[in-house]
Amino acid sequence: MERHSGSLKSVLAFYKFFEIRNTAELREDLLKLGASLELKGTVLVAHEGLNSTLAGNKENLDRFSAYLVERFGDFPFKWSVADESNEVFFRFKVKIKSEIVTMGIDGLNMEVGGTHVSAEEWNDLLLDPEVIVVDARNDYETDIGSFPGAVIPGTTNFREFPGWADQKLDPKKNKRVAMFCTGGIRCEKASSYLLNQGFENVYQLDGGILQYLEDTQSEESRWNGECFVFDQRVSVNAQLEQGQYKQCYACRHPLSKEELASPDFEHGVSCPHCIDRTSEERR
């Protein structure tokens, strides 16, 4: 779907759960390839798979993604764009981690996962009164956009999600649970966690919000607001182009133009969201 024009650079996001035995060897291979293609961003490598967002020349990103497909099979690649003047990322890194998205639950059976649904199917779930829709993202993400009627956990990091689910969701009462997140990766683990806890019907938005925006025309979209992204763009709009928000370096919360003009905002120090909980010493 062609939506972009003007002077823009390409951004590629992807993840995949699969067994990686030699993470150190793969790290070296990806470091060499990414450097040769002049890409910027971070690739996370763990025994459970890969997770990354990269920026660069579209042709070079195509070459990087083709290498991954040739070596490891299909990936759910998601494309977006950034203003040419935006660095998006400042360097290229490949990091070895214990998890590609940190939930902190040992022994989670990732072979059991939620039912992936398309954008059209997702719209039907949003209208179903028997379905509880859960936004699996953190509070600073949900504040600038979400789907109507979604339950907002209010978590500050993904490690808090299992505890929230244990307190707020009940497999006997919540017969059908639908979850969404930015690109889909957190829902992979969140849905597996719920299914391992006895929930029977768990759905997840395939490819997350980014894929939904790519697949949905504006007149069909139920999305409200902008989508937080973990790079220098801060957010993307419904056209997957760089959004209006900047970011507070103290608390990471996205800031609107009005919040940037607030007397509580001081660059690199505080913003209206964190000034009351930031000590003078911390500032």
Side-chain angles (χ1 to χ4, degrees), residues 41 67 76 110 113 162 167 181 193 199 211 262:
Y67 170 84
M110 289 301 298
Q167 291 184 354
C181 54
Y193 180 78
F199 289 81
Q211 191 65 52
S262 167

Side-chain angles (χ1 to χ4, degrees), residues 31-86:
L31 271 175
K32 292 177 183 177
L33 179 60
S36 70
L37 296 174
E38 299 181 333
L39 303 181
K40 293 182 180 179
T42 300
V43 183
L44 301 181
V45 181
H47 289 297
E48 67 178 9
L50 295 175
N51 181 21
S52 177
T53 303
L54 301 173
N57 175 277
K58 177 64 166 60
E59 181 179 346
N60 288 349
L61 286 169
D62 282 336
R63 291 172 62 186
F64 190 90
S65 61
Y67 170 84
L68 293 176
V69 170
E70 180 179 358
R71 185 165 176 179
F72 302 115
D74 291 337
F75 276 73
F77 294 117
K78 289 175 282 294
W79 294 90
S80 57
V81 295
D83 296 340
E84 188 62 39
S85 60
N86 191 326

